[in-house]
Amino acid sequence: QAPIKATCEDMSCKTGFPEDVHSAVVSRSVQGGQPLLNVRFRSCDENKKIHFGSSEPEDFRVGEDGVVYAERSFQLSAEPTEFVVSAQDKETQEEWQMRVKLTPEPAFAETSEKDQKKIEDIVFPWQHDKHGSPLKRQKRDWVIPPINLPENSRGPFPQELVRIRSDRDKSLSLRYSVTGPGADQPPTGIFIINPISGQLSVTKPLDREQIASFHLRAHAVDVNGNQVENPIDIVINVIDMNDNRPEFLHQVWNGTVPEGSKPGTYVMTVTAIDADDPNAQNGMLRYRILSQDPSSPSPNMFTINNETGDIITVAAGLDREKVQQYTLIIQATDMEGNPTYGLSNTATAVITVTDVNDNPPEFTAMTFYGEVPENRVDVIVANLTVVDKDQPHTPAWNAMYRMTGGDPTGRFTILTDPSSNDGLVTVVKPIDFETNRMFVLTVAAENQVPLAKGIQHPPQSTATVSVTVIDVNESPYFVPNPKLVRQEEGLLAGSMLTTFTAQDPDRYMQQTSLRYSKLSDPANWLKIDPVNGQITTTAVLDRESIYVQNNMYNATFLASDNGIPPMSGTGTLQIYLLDINDNAPQVNPKEATTCETMQPNAINITAVDPDIDPNAGPFAFELPDMPASIKRNWTIVRISGDHAQLSLRIRFLEAGIYDVPIVITDSGNPHASSTSVLKVKVCQCDINGDCTDVDRIVGAGLGTGAIIAILLCIIILLILVLMFVVWMKRRDKERQAKQLLIDPEDDVRDNILKYDEEGGGEEDQDYDLSQLQQPDTVEPDAIKPVGIRRLDERPIHAEPQYPVRSAAPHPGDIGDFINEGLKAADNDPTAPPYDSLLVFDYEGSGSTAGSLSSLNSSSSGGEQDYDYLNDWGPRFKKLADMYGGGDD
């Protein structure tokens, strides 16, 4: 690179470009937005507004300050690139033009060693004042061409790059500095400048993959910090070195190709990237296939586009049934695939051969056999098995079956088992053995998708299915079913109605005749002969029965055979009953109310007849001749075929309840008539015709329902009283059972009995009081078992905690023990009353108190007569046995 220096030879001012052609050397690789050069334009009038333009606006843009920028990223060709830069005065529309020629700089490797070591001087540019003197700086006169610096340089560092110099350093003491990323902005310290000499240096190796270019700005100030030069831009491009291997985006690539594909079929694309400059050889990759596994039917079944990485087929013979998958080792090499200088890497491409329908299904047998019982549906008759070499469970493998012959009535269908691909011949319509004993079906099987083009096999396979029908015992059937019979009602019991017989469809089975029975007869009007099926009546047929709906009565009968197993069939007999005039009309309602006077006093009545036309209305209404008071007091007028109006004939009728007989005759042939009694209550009415009697219900009397309700209430009340009395008696019995089971004269409660004196005081007796104290221990075998208790004894449950007397030998603790026990018994809610006898437990054997036989009475036992103890009752029976039993 040669130094660029601003000169000023012509002192006169002339507006326009200083030259017609401007040449500049720029890097071969241009990035979008990168400043390339600064065009010089002199304007003698500072107030003029100049607009710059480019003849190639899609590639180059000229700023208002004359800096030419690249609009997009591109690679300069070896030949110079030319375009025109224009300048136009916005007021006068005067225009100036200059041709710009851009030449790509030579490759870094071609730069001579002498040129590399040569340090450039970058001089701040000057321009003339518009008045001619003195000289002053021109703002951004041009842009310094970029400085190219290789990455991964080994130094030594700091390495000098360029020297920034101002022509005014001869008269002034200047200080130089640089700013921007890489200098005073992160990453800081990569570029430094000598503030005195302006020498710009790099301090460490650069990495293009991290930062491809640095944009710095150089400044020149005096010792006082005053700017003496306008800042200039310095662009440092990092030249790429081949220091990165290609890297595949995936280590394993998966692709598919249909079997039978023709050569040239696209399979897949593998892609690798290189961190080096993609516009230089360092980043230009080339692909190739290193190996193919398996190598059949050819070792070169595939090829790869060395630039794009597209894998295509180059040989025919892909057959999934033979080789289902191929594995390729792909290599990517930079330096445009140079095996000597390029770096390489490998990846795996797995190509799966997909199935196409190149094999039709084939039946495993020419004839299949099956059998089915007659009248059965949804039964699988036979399994049709096929083989298909295509991939299972794909449309090319799935089989579809269809019937091609032997089933004109559509009694069979063929379903496909999705898991086994078998054809399931299924019966969908009942088959009668007596009509068809065997079927010979012709079936065909084919795939869901058609065979691939060029396949020589037939598209389908055919087979024969022989189906045998098994005869079974079938149910008899009535003919016709249902059977309709028209009959007038009133047919007497024992009359023959009709014959209802069934037929047995089993013509080839040996069995006896059918037997008939009745299955459903709601009114129990009919019976059927079990042999010949003759139906006779057992009661009078009545059309007005509740079992007749819309004049129709339905009965069901059963016909059974004696086959194995026995079968039966049902038939319905429908009897359409024709109406006869067997019911007389009745009046409705049965009760009515009217006023004492003639106005208003009309009563509307209706005739009701269970019969139907022509044995019903229109009806004739009239009053009987007897008693004579009926026609004297009342009159009746028919207002329609079914309705009439009853009213008073006299002006006033005393309040009360009157029975008015009404004769109603229907229109049947012969006529049927009846006399119905209408209970009419005559009462006092207000002006609106409403009854005002307070005691209207009294005269009407009690109905049957009210009487039944009163009787039920009385019975329930008597039952409650009886239950209360029984409960009281049971309660009294329980209270009496709790009384002591002793005679009243033997009851010693509340009585003071005088016993013999004990003799002298305790001080005269020499007793051992320690024997009356609580023993220290009680042997386990001394525990009293549960014995028989008296009825007045308290129930067995958790005993209260009575105090335990200590074993101290002091005589006074006996009294304390007794008082504490008495207090505990008084507070015990479960204890018997105070005047009841308390029963104490038996103290058991082994007592420390010893035997009481040592206590002698004041008189000898032999001198006493103890027979009177037997008269004291059961409580003294033990004592009487001890002393009144004689010598033993």
Side-chain angles (χ1 to χ4, degrees), residues 180 230 236 253 332 397 439 482 491 526 534 541 584 603 678 721 766:
N230 289 329
I236 302 175
W253 297 78
W397 178 82
F439 290 86
L491 183 64
L526 309 172
Q534 183 174 331
L541 304 184
I603 300 174
L678 177 63
V721 172
D766 187 14

Side-chain angles (χ1 to χ4, degrees), residues 543-557:
R543 191 198 66 84
E544 289 76 31
S545 172
I546 60 174
Y547 302 106
V548 178
Q549 301 293 332
N550 298 324
N551 303 327
M552 191 74 71
Y553 179 75
N554 294 325
T556 306
F557 297 92

Side-chain angles (χ1 to χ4, degrees), residues 454-484:
I455 304 300
Q456 302 300 325
H457 299 285
Q460 64 182 17
S461 177
T462 59
T464 301
V465 182
S466 178
V467 180
T468 302
V469 182
I470 302 174
D471 189 17
V472 297
N473 187 24
E474 299 178 76
S475 300
Y477 59 93
F478 285 87
V479 179
N481 189 17
K483 183 176 182 179
L484 179 64

